[in-house]
Amino acid sequence: MKGRSVIVCVGMAVALSATAAPLSFTEEAVARGINYVIAPSMATQFGPGLGLLDFDGDDDLDIILAGMVGGALRIYENDGAGNYTDRSIGSNLAAIAASGVACADYDNDGDQDIFISGWLSSSKLYRNDGNFVFTDVSATAGVNQVSAAMGPSWSDYDQDGFMDLYVPTRSGTSGNWTANMLFHNNGDGTFTDSAVALNVDAENDPTLLSSFFDFDRDGDDDIYLGTDKGTSLSWWNRLYRNDGGIFTEITASANAFAYIDCMGIAVADLNNDSFFDVYMTDGSRNVLYMHDGASAYSDVTDAAGVTSGRIGWGTVFADFDNDSFSDLYVCNMMTPNRLYRGEDIADWPMTDDGPAAGVDVSGTSYAVAVGDVNNDGLLDMLVGNTSNTVKLFINNSPDAASNHMVRFKPIGDAGNIMCVGTCFNVFANGKWQAGQARSGVNYKASEGRTVQFGLGADTEALMVEVVWPGGVVRQLTGVPADRTWSIYNQSRLGDVNNDGTIDAAEIAAATAAITGPGIKIEPGVEIFDMDGDFDIDSEDIAAMTPCSADLNGDGALDFFDIAFFLSNAVDFNGDTGFDFFDIASYLTAFGGGCP
């Protein structure tokens, strides 16, 4: 795995207690301001999409919904506590025969834009202009094709700094034979369909969804396609390996055919080897593929006990009780949804907690998105239920009270600002876990940019490896639990205003944030933690400057540095006080000169 520095203690998972309480949720959509009914007719296009994302940049999760009678979209603002206000009026989001929803920052201005795949109608791309106002740029962008479009997804597959868009189609529906499209972002607001040129159009397959994730952990996103009506005689899923923006189909060598009616794809690292395993829904027997840690999948569905035996659609892995084991939610047609409780693979089969948890929705559910809507550290669920109101399940799982979590928000510089494609390897609770920031997930759904890990009883993640797109690794140690941490690309460290240099004001801000020995920082000053140990001390200040005594960062040691030191009472030795020892430490550094 490119850039991977340590994989130790694999398999040292702590087994789930036999006395663990069931997961627990309460359905609170209407009570929290979401009253949206999905039309029965949406079954024609195999359900509508939805999204749980931060559209206004205030670090809480807003909601977008599609599929009501007449095709109106609705967008709701979160007040920070998980209560919602309808902001649709004035948003410029028009009615559409909607299929999938996938959101990403296509123009690198720092906010989430919206793509709605159209069902036998023009797809729509909405540019986010702020304050819940959007502009339809579909035609000028060149992504308004008419097709039987399904579950789209985004990735900067060629790592040029701009997000690209894959749009799968159920080719052949109602005589529309438009094949899958991979829209390359040209960086000027326009896109070019490169699917045929890159040989990822899947010909005339009836594709239901696309999924970008780093299959081989080499630092770039590969593509896995879920295909309808799969049989060994005709159609099957397809896996394309990405080699620097050039794709090669490796379905056969990776044993990734599936041969199912693939309706949903969930991705997680279940056996703690830092490679991603894949769960897929079907019309009769769902399939769980486990990565062998090298280059191929094996079918472990029966051992895991997750065949389901129902007509499945959207599905997602998430650690709902923060015990460090991924739980599995499955949307079903005409039968209750399932929630398989995650546990150590040595203790499989998994059990269905759906009825006890209160999330065994009856009727037909197509799409699901996961995120912490009320910022309590627990992951909640947004579930679309055809011919019924959308469900918002608030997580109250009792075991989570004794468990801990950590959440990461990756931040880049000028390109791919939200760092979609970033992978995290987290060591806690005796094992490694892997996760990835992705855009357009599960089935026709879109989720927020953060990545959350349950830590069990551990109050910190001992080690975290941030694997940026391209494979460069940043290592973090002693990461405090129960917080959301902004994790900056190396090029942004210390550079608050993102102008490419670290100036005196930024050095002063870092100096003011010094925590002292053994005292961890709180969120808000992560950009000054140059060495990733979650404190700010003289070593971080030194890393921001040519030498530690050059406090104004002008490359020279002079009176101005001494004046800055004295006037700001700089805690130079990091003992949380300004005293003689700071003066002695600073004079020693000053006398050493700049290298």
Side-chain angles (χ1 to χ4, degrees):
M1 187 166 43
K2 182 178 178 181
R4 186 76 171 93
S5 58
V6 216
I7 287 285
V8 296
C9 302
V10 171
M12 290 177 56
V14 178
L16 183 69
S17 169
T19 60
L23 300 171
S24 178
F25 296 78
T26 54
E27 201 292 297
E28 302 181 18
V30 174
R32 289 178 177 267
I34 306 296
N35 191 358
Y36 188 92
V37 178
I38 296 177
S41 60
M42 288 306 298
T44 302
Q45 53 252 55
F46 311 105
L50 46 77
L52 193 56
L53 308 104
D54 179 12
F55 289 111
D56 55 353
D58 61 356
D59 288 324
D60 55 39
L61 295 177
D62 311 302
I63 289 175
I64 183 168
L65 299 172
M68 70 184 301
V69 173
L73 302 174
R74 290 287 183 266
I75 191 164
Y76 299 86
E77 180 181 8
N78 190 334
D79 69 354
N83 303 302
Y84 287 90
T85 300
D86 190 341
R87 296 294 304 274
S88 306
I89 296 176
S91 68
N92 298 325
L93 299 176
I96 179 177
S99 185
V101 173
C103 302
D105 183 11
Y106 85 91
D107 53 358
N108 281 332
D109 65 349
D111 53 28
Q112 297 275 9
D113 309 299
I114 303 171
F115 179 77
I116 309 288
S117 57
W119 179 253
L120 301 173
S121 64
S122 297
S123 295
K124 296 290 185 181
L125 176 62
Y126 288 99
R127 186 187 67 226
N128 189 340
D129 296 325
N131 197 31
F132 293 92
V133 176
F134 298 83
T135 299
D136 182 351
V137 296
S138 314
T140 55
V143 296
N144 59 335
Q145 280 75 357
V146 176
S147 66
M150 294 295 288
S153 57
W154 294 84
S155 171
D156 180 13
Y157 75 84
D158 57 351
Q159 298 183 0
D160 64 352
F162 294 94
M163 295 295 292
D164 311 298
L165 172 65
Y166 196 98
V167 183
T169 69
R170 194 173 186 272
S171 184
T173 299
S174 299
N176 188 305
W177 289 95
T178 303
N180 298 347
M181 295 160 276
L182 175 54
F183 290 108
H184 176 263
N185 190 332
N186 300 318
D188 59 0
T190 68
F191 293 78
T192 301
D193 182 8
S194 302
V196 173
L198 292 172
N199 197 29
V200 293
D201 61 322
E203 301 169 346
N204 288 324
D205 286 8
T207 310
L208 295 189
L209 72 162
S210 57
S211 182
F212 280 107
F213 63 94
D214 192 355
F215 163 78
D216 52 2
R217 296 301 310 271
D218 66 346
D220 54 28
D221 272 343
D222 310 295
I223 305 174
Y224 194 45
L225 301 181
T227 306
D228 195 11
K229 309 302 179 188
T231 73
S232 59
L233 300 177
S234 54
W235 292 306
W236 48 82
N237 288 1
R238 294 179 184 252
L239 177 61
Y240 299 95
R241 187 186 66 227
N242 185 352
D243 298 304
I246 304 298
F247 291 93
T248 302
E249 183 169 358
I250 59 169
T251 311
S253 64
N255 190 35
F257 288 107
Y259 297 125
I260 60 173
D261 299 337
C262 186
M263 301 155 172
I265 295 175
V267 177
D269 172 24
L270 297 180
N271 61 339
N272 311 117
D273 64 352
S274 295
F275 286 88
F276 294 118
D277 311 305
V278 176
Y279 182 77
M280 296 161 283
T281 54
D282 180 35
S284 58
R285 181 186 183 273
N286 298 352
V287 173
L288 175 59
Y289 275 167
M290 183 166 286
H291 201 295
D292 66 2
S295 59
Y297 286 122
S298 60
D299 186 337
V300 297
T301 317
D302 293 332
V306 292
T307 55
S308 185
R310 300 170 180 177
I311 301 174
W313 288 96
T315 183
V316 59
F317 283 112
D319 187 355
F320 291 115
D321 56 357
N322 290 327
D323 66 349
S324 79
F325 298 95
S326 293
D327 309 300
L328 173 64
Y329 192 70
V330 184
C331 293
N332 289 317
M333 174 178 282
M334 298 180 290
T335 54
N337 295 351
R338 292 189 183 275
L339 175 55
Y340 292 102
R341 186 68 174 272
E343 54 188 278
D344 193 301
I345 63 174
D347 297 319
W348 281 358
M350 300 164 72
T351 57
D352 180 11
D353 246 13
V359 294
D360 55 333
V361 179
S362 58
T364 296
S365 300
Y366 285 104
V368 55
V370 169
D372 181 6
V373 303
N374 54 354
N375 289 309
D376 65 351
L378 301 182
L379 295 173
D380 312 298
M381 282 194 295
L382 184 69
V383 180
N385 206 33
T386 305
S387 305
N388 210 323
T389 55
V390 167
K391 311 299 183 188
L392 181 59
F393 290 109
I394 301 300
N395 191 347
N396 308 296
S397 298
D399 282 350
S402 59
N403 291 327
H404 301 277
M405 49 69 69
V406 67
R407 189 179 296 155
F408 299 109
K409 177 182 176 182
I411 299 175
D413 43 28
N416 187 9
I417 293 172
M418 296 189 182
C419 294
V420 174
T422 301
C423 290
F424 295 89
N425 304 312
V426 175
F427 188 77
N429 203 27
K431 63 179 184 292
W432 287 97
Q433 301 176 67
Q436 184 173 15
R438 299 167 58 218
S439 182
V441 294
N442 313 335
Y443 172 73
K444 295 188 175 183
S446 208
E447 296 176 352
R449 61 183 293 190
T450 60
V451 184
Q452 178 165 323
F453 296 87
L455 306 180
D458 286 4
T459 57
E460 65 177 32
L462 297 180
M463 183 180 296
V464 176
E465 294 173 342
V466 186
V467 186
W468 302 105
V472 174
V473 177
R474 183 183 180 200
Q475 186 166 292
L476 313 174
T477 56
V479 185
D482 303 319
R483 294 162 177 81
T484 298
W485 296 106
S486 294
I487 306 300
Y488 291 88
N489 192 289
Q490 282 87 328
S491 62
R492 281 296 311 278
L493 289 175
D495 184 12
V496 177
N497 61 8
N498 196 22
D499 67 352
T501 61
I502 298 175
D503 57 30
E506 289 161 335
I507 295 170
T511 302
I514 288 176
T515 56
I519 300 175
K520 296 288 188 176
I521 60 174
E522 290 295 327
V525 294
E526 300 96 317
I527 198 166
F528 302 127
D529 181 20
M530 307 295 287
D531 54 7
D533 61 358
F534 285 78
D535 62 26
I536 296 176
D537 54 23
S538 58
E539 293 179 354
D540 297 298
I541 305 302
M544 293 176 65
T545 63
C547 67
S548 61
D550 179 20
L551 291 180
N552 65 359
D554 64 358
L557 294 183
D558 49 30
F559 169 78
F560 298 103
D561 296 297
I562 298 173
F564 181 93
F565 170 73
L566 293 174
S567 62
N568 287 276
V570 174
D571 176 21
F572 196 74
N573 64 359
D575 63 359
T576 68
F578 180 71
D579 50 29
F580 169 80
F581 298 103
D582 295 295
I583 297 173
S585 296
Y586 181 70
L587 292 177
T588 298
F590 188 88
C594 286

